[in-house]
Amino acid sequence: MAQPLTFVLSVPETPEDHGPEPSPYDESEVHDSFYQLIQEQSQWVAEEGLELQQREPGPPETPGSGHQALLGPEDPLVHSTATLRILASMPSRTIGRSRGAIISQYYNRTVRLQRRVSRPELGGVGRSARPSLRLYDLELDPVALEEEEKRFLLVKELQGLPVAQRDHMLRGMPLGLAEKRCLREESRTLTRKRRGRRGRRGLLSCCGRLRDACVLTLLAFNALLLLPLLAFLVGVQAAFPPPASPGAVPAFTGLELLTGAGRFTHTVMYYGYYSNTTLNQPCVPPLDGGQCSREADGLPYNMPLAYLFTVGVAFFITCITLVYSMSHSFGESYRVGSTAGVHAVTVFCSWDHKVTQKRASRVQHDNIRTHLKELLAEWQLRQVPRSLCGRLRQVAVLGLVWLLCLGTALGCTVAVYAFSELTIKSPVSTEQEGALLALPTVVCVLNLGAPYLYRCLAALERHDSPVLEVYVAICRNLILKMVILGILCYHWLGRRVGVLKEQCWENFVGQELYRLMVLDFIFVLLDTLFGELVWRLISEKKLKREKPEFDIAGNVLELIYGQTLTWLGVLFSPLLPAIQIIKLLCLFYVKKTSLMANCQAPRRPWLASHMSTVFVSLLCFPSFLGAAVFLCYAVWQVRPSSTCGPFRTLDTMYEAGKVWVRRLEQAGPSVSWVPWIHRYLVENTFPVYLVSALLLAVIYLNIQVVKGQRRVMCLLKEQISNEGEDKIFLINKLHSVYERKERRAGRTQEAERLAGDPDAW
């Protein structure tokens, strides 16, 4: 069997390395300097050639022994020295050879920038510090240790630069993305670096990344929802508070933190506090005793219109962001084209050849290994045959488990409906404020207990695919939570509106959603403490088992459930997004600690990268869509309370827009275009149908574009295959030409020898 050849790449140095260097603050000079560096090294390769030395000398070559017949695609290639020199000059063989020089050069630039001293001699860095085709352990090379020290000093100097300048310099480095990422992480503060290392290492990298991505996504949505509400509703109403209510304002007792009632009812926390008047900046009458003019009053602020439009615009921004996130996530997780040959692509095309350090290569090695495990696990599942009796038995078990799960969800729904009807028949007085927690407590207990029953039933199914197991668990939990929320929505808008005719039912709905959010947070903390910590202690101490696996489905659905509550209640409590942000931050650190201490990674590998796409999709459908339908029904169909809120004198909340349009019609021709837009673009259904048709056309065009991309990819794959065959053909032709040339030279030498030696005849 032919042994692979290992070569040492030696690139000479020039005196230009010791010349003056541009400042890193000058982007063009930095770019030009490295462009010149790359160009110079390319010229060295072309003019002086590459010194190729065999690391382990083999048996001596005999004349003509290196010449073989035409080779096939799978035959081992034995090239001549000239061919090897040409192949070594190819870009794929020289990637990363100047990494040591690059790091050393950038280190000296940062030293000059920070300390204003002359940079060390580049000649002190040996050739082996520049990664080549030689296969050896860099940790055993003293020059590699010197390069590692240079790298450490570079990171230390980068820490002294401003963040913007540091990122600018890292972007300009001609290094691989993995190397730049490592330098960026190492140049951060020590505390953040340690936290990042703990998050990347060991047991739960995929679960940790999924958790971080979900929480960050939700924080972004809540921030986008909260900012316009604070700017145009909460801040304005706090600056112009409404007149005090006739009754006495209750004192703060602390129970409001759980119930949301009491003192909180008379704050900007809830819908009922907001006025239904036009807010104006008060003016001081002139000294001559006259009245304030219209210009002195300032621009009027219509609070009902601002309330309706601010909530609508905030939801529209959230919708656009959510759709964009979903499309971006689909583009990252699901690639266009077939998956044929994905194993070979992962093995032969996944390695970043710019990575040379042991730690960075270990990280990349772990990523590729995990990905291969996922692919092989899916491939093995497809290859395992199953008998007819086994399939029938599995179908029967699946049917029975699904019936039990659906029966559990139906039972929970009936229990919530019965308890909600009981609360209507037995109203709670003001003195019994703690009794308001009864219905939210029942809902949280059912949401916490039913998933444990689902997990016990799922153990009977014995799914071969961990992906299918997680998706089934998500589907069952989603059905449970969405049905319970549907019953609660009917309870709020269908039953409570009729019962609380003379009261502010919007405040009650906002308080109910606040109580659900707070109790859900408390129950999640209790589940983390007793469900994960205690179970881990029991498993390790008593049962002598490993740590329990991290429940991805349950934690994902908990996040979606909490965000759904926020979207449902933003119309009745504009500050709910702020409470959700605080809740997410607390849960992030609690779950992170519990994840690292109490849980272990799944025993069977699976493609967790698709879970973020599933998460965003569930946020859009049915979470955001259901909340939007609920709020649209409340705005267009439900009559507002006549005693509180900005819409107390109107039949529906949507009528505030119509009232404003009628006022604009009477204001004069200067604003007549606004009523025209409302009449022909908002109330008329034709623009809606037109926009829907355009949207369908765009979707159809995108589908056709994707199909065209698939066809182009197939053609490109075929072209790549043909290019490979062409290269083999050309190399074989070069071998044949070289053999003919040597044979011709040999015949010429033999003829000359015979001509000079008559005795040889």
Side-chain angles (χ1 to χ4, degrees):
M1 180 176 180
Q3 297 294 330
L5 299 180
T6 307
F7 303 99
V8 180
L9 177 61
S10 177
V11 180
E13 299 180 357
T14 61
E16 285 80 0
D17 291 334
H18 313 293
E21 298 176 352
S23 171
Y25 287 97
D26 194 338
E27 180 181 2
S28 61
E29 293 185 2
V30 171
H31 177 75
D32 293 341
S33 65
F34 279 95
Y35 178 77
Q36 294 172 2
L37 177 63
I38 296 173
Q39 290 295 109
E40 290 171 0
Q41 293 185 2
S42 301
Q43 292 176 2
W44 295 336
V45 172
E47 295 175 1
E48 300 182 8
L50 301 176
E51 299 177 8
L52 298 176
Q53 303 171 358
Q54 187 172 348
R55 184 182 180 187
E56 297 181 0
E61 298 181 359
T62 59
S65 61
H67 310 303
Q68 299 179 355
L70 296 181
L71 302 175
E74 299 180 356
D75 295 332
L77 298 178
V78 181
H79 303 304
S80 63
T81 305
T83 305
L84 288 176
R85 183 178 293 110
I86 295 174
L87 293 176
S89 302
M90 295 173 63
S92 60
R93 302 296 181 91
T94 58
I95 289 178
R97 65 169 182 264
S98 304
R99 177 185 167 279
I102 290 170
I103 290 180
S104 178
Q105 186 174 1
Y106 260 98
Y107 160 68
N108 292 302
R109 290 183 178 185
T110 53
V111 169
R112 171 171 291 187
L113 180 64
Q114 295 288 336
R115 304 177 183 176
R116 301 297 181 183
V117 296
S118 60
R119 80 181 183 102
E121 293 287 333
L122 188 61
V125 183
R127 292 175 177 175
S128 59
R130 301 167 182 173
S132 64
L133 298 178
R134 190 191 317 182
L135 302 177
Y136 63 91
D137 191 359
L138 293 178
E139 299 296 329
L140 302 178
D141 195 336
V143 185
L145 297 178
E146 181 182 354
E147 180 190 341
E148 187 67 24
E149 182 180 359
K150 286 281 188 180
R151 176 192 178 90
F152 173 76
L153 295 176
L154 171 62
V155 171
K156 186 176 180 181
E157 296 299 330
L158 285 175
Q159 290 177 351
L161 294 177
V163 178
Q165 180 60 30
R166 183 194 311 161
D167 295 340
H168 174 76
M169 181 175 291
L170 288 173
R171 283 195 298 268
M173 289 184 180
L175 297 173
L177 293 179
E179 185 67 27
K180 291 182 181 179
R181 189 179 299 113
C182 293
L183 287 174
R184 182 180 292 110
E185 292 293 333
E186 293 176 2
S187 61
R188 294 178 180 175
T189 59
L190 184 60
T191 304
R192 294 183 62 186
K193 183 175 67 174
R194 286 178 178 175
R195 289 203 303 261
R197 286 180 178 176
R198 286 199 301 267
R200 289 191 300 267
R201 289 180 67 87
L203 76 139
L204 300 164
S205 59
C206 62
C207 299
R209 289 194 298 268
L210 174 62
R211 178 205 60 228
D212 298 347
C214 296
V215 172
L216 291 176
T217 302
L218 292 181
L219 284 176
F221 289 145
N222 285 282
L224 289 175
L225 188 62
L226 180 62
L227 289 178
L229 295 175
L230 287 177
F232 299 103
L233 285 186
V234 179
V236 175
Q237 190 64 71
F240 300 93
S245 57
V249 178
F252 181 78
T253 62
L255 190 59
E256 292 90 342
L257 296 176
L258 291 178
T259 63
R263 184 67 180 85
F264 286 171
T265 307
H266 303 275
T267 62
V268 293
M269 183 77 181
Y270 296 113
Y271 163 93
Y273 182 81
Y274 294 85
S275 62
N276 65 333
T277 59
T278 299
L279 306 179
N280 293 311
Q281 178 70 30
C283 69
V284 179
L287 297 178
D288 55 2
Q291 296 181 352
C292 295
S293 62
R294 178 176 294 273
E295 291 77 13
D297 289 342
L299 182 65
Y301 196 87
N302 192 330
M303 179 53 70
L305 188 66
Y307 200 101
L308 182 64
F309 272 76
T310 302
V311 174
V313 170
F315 252 74
F316 180 75
I317 295 174
T318 304
C319 179
I320 296 298
T321 308
L322 190 59
V323 172
Y324 172 78
S325 300
M326 184 171 62
S327 61
H328 179 73
S329 181
F330 268 102
E332 291 292 331
S333 301
Y334 299 96
R335 303 299 181 185
V336 178
S338 64
T339 58
V342 66
H343 301 84
V345 172
T346 305
V347 171
F348 296 106
C349 303
S350 298
W351 186 262
D352 185 1
H353 291 275
K354 300 182 183 68
V355 175
T356 57
Q357 295 303 315
K358 186 175 182 180
R359 183 177 59 84
S361 61
R362 187 187 301 115
V363 173
Q364 187 173 3
H365 174 269
D366 293 340
N367 292 336
I368 296 176
R369 180 181 60 185
T370 302
H371 187 54
L372 284 174
K373 285 183 178 180
E374 296 169 348
L375 295 175
L376 290 175
E378 288 190 352
W379 179 79
Q380 289 176 356
L381 291 177
R382 292 192 295 266
Q383 300 299 321
V384 174
R386 180 167 296 178
S387 61
L388 180 60
C389 295
R391 294 179 182 177
L392 293 177
R393 182 167 56 252
Q394 185 183 16
V395 170
V397 172
L398 289 177
L400 178 61
V401 171
W402 269 105
L403 286 177
L404 293 176
C405 292
L406 294 178
T408 302
L410 180 61
C412 294
T413 305
V414 173
V416 172
Y417 176 77
F419 201 87
S420 63
E421 291 294 324
L422 181 61
T423 58
I424 293 177
K425 296 178 181 178
S426 302
V428 179
S429 61
T430 308
E431 293 77 12
Q432 300 175 341
E433 187 175 336
L436 295 172
L437 298 172
L439 180 60
T441 302
V442 171
V443 173
C444 291
V445 168
L446 294 176
N447 282 330
L448 180 64
Y452 279 99
L453 178 60
Y454 290 165
R455 293 173 65 179
C456 295
L457 294 175
L460 302 176
E461 296 175 321
R462 298 179 181 178
H463 289 289
D464 296 330
S465 172
V467 181
L468 180 61
E469 182 178 352
V470 173
Y471 287 168
V472 169
I474 289 178
C475 182
R476 290 168 181 169
N477 286 274
L478 183 66
I479 292 175
L480 172 68
K481 295 182 183 298
M482 292 300 108
V483 171
I484 290 179
L485 284 179
I487 291 296
L488 291 176
C489 292
Y490 168 75
H491 168 70
W492 294 326
L493 296 186
R495 299 286 292 160
R496 282 294 180 178
V497 173
V499 174
L500 302 175
K501 290 182 178 180
E502 303 300 328
Q503 302 178 24
C504 190
W505 63 266
E506 293 90 347
N507 278 2
F508 177 82
V509 175
Q511 292 170 5
E512 283 278 279
L513 288 163
Y514 174 87
R515 289 189 283 268
L516 285 171
M517 288 185 61
V518 172
L519 289 181
D520 178 70
F521 174 68
I522 295 175
F523 274 81
V524 170
L525 294 182
L526 294 177
D527 178 51
T528 303
L529 177 62
F530 295 101
E532 295 180 0
L533 176 60
V534 175
W535 180 245
R536 192 260 297 179
L537 295 176
I538 294 175
S539 299
E540 291 182 345
K541 304 298 182 182
K542 299 297 183 181
L543 303 179
K544 304 300 180 181
R545 297 178 181 175
E546 297 179 351
K547 297 178 181 179
E549 295 185 6
F550 183 71
D551 185 13
I552 297 178
N555 285 274
V556 167
L557 264 298
E558 284 295 335
L559 294 175
I560 295 176
Y561 175 74
Q563 189 60 41
T564 307
L565 294 178
T566 304
W567 284 331
L568 289 174
V570 69
L571 180 65
F572 312 105
S573 180
L575 289 180
L576 274 186
I579 300 173
Q580 175 70 358
I581 290 176
I582 298 174
K583 174 185 172 183
L584 288 174
L585 291 176
C586 295
L587 285 179
F588 173 78
Y589 291 104
V590 171
K591 285 292 183 180
K592 180 179 180 180
T593 305
S594 176
L595 177 68
M596 303 302 297
N598 303 324
C599 302
Q600 67 169 349
R603 297 181 180 88
R604 293 173 295 177
W606 58 286
L607 291 173
S609 59
H610 293 173
M611 185 53 62
S612 59
T613 303
V614 175
F615 174 77
V616 178
S617 302
L618 292 178
L619 271 181
C620 189
F621 310 103
S623 177
F624 181 80
L625 182 60
V629 171
F630 172 80
L631 295 184
C632 289
Y633 179 79
V635 169
W636 264 273
Q637 297 296 329
V638 182
R639 184 180 181 86
S641 300
S642 59
T643 58
C644 66
F647 309 103
R648 66 189 70 176
T649 60
L650 303 175
D651 293 333
T652 61
M653 298 181 185
Y654 175 71
E655 194 175 347
K658 294 183 178 180
V659 172
W660 178 66
V661 170
R662 288 196 294 266
R663 290 179 181 176
L664 290 179
E665 290 178 349
Q666 301 173 1
S670 59
V671 290
S672 59
W673 57 274
V674 178
W676 183 89
I677 292 177
H678 181 269
R679 183 181 303 110
Y680 292 103
L681 297 182
V682 178
E683 293 185 347
N684 193 3
T685 58
F686 176 75
V688 177
Y689 293 129
L690 180 61
V691 172
S692 301
L694 292 176
L695 181 61
L696 292 176
V698 170
I699 294 175
Y700 174 76
L701 291 177
N702 286 334
I703 293 175
Q704 295 300 318
V705 168
V706 170
K707 290 183 178 180
Q709 290 176 349
R710 287 197 179 99
R711 290 193 292 268
V712 171
M713 290 178 66
C714 293
L715 294 176
L716 290 176
K717 289 180 180 179
E718 184 178 356
Q719 183 178 355
I720 291 174
S721 177
N722 295 333
E723 291 288 341
E725 295 178 359
D726 292 343
K727 291 179 180 178
I728 295 175
F729 173 78
L730 291 176
I731 290 177
N732 291 333
K733 284 294 184 181
L734 286 175
H735 274 281
S736 62
V737 170
Y738 185 78
E739 289 177 355
R740 288 197 301 269
K741 180 179 179 181
E742 287 199 348
R743 285 197 299 268
R744 189 162 50 248
R747 289 194 296 268
T748 303
Q749 293 178 359
E750 184 68 19
E752 292 177 353
R753 185 180 66 83
L754 294 176
D757 188 5
D759 298 336
W761 294 93

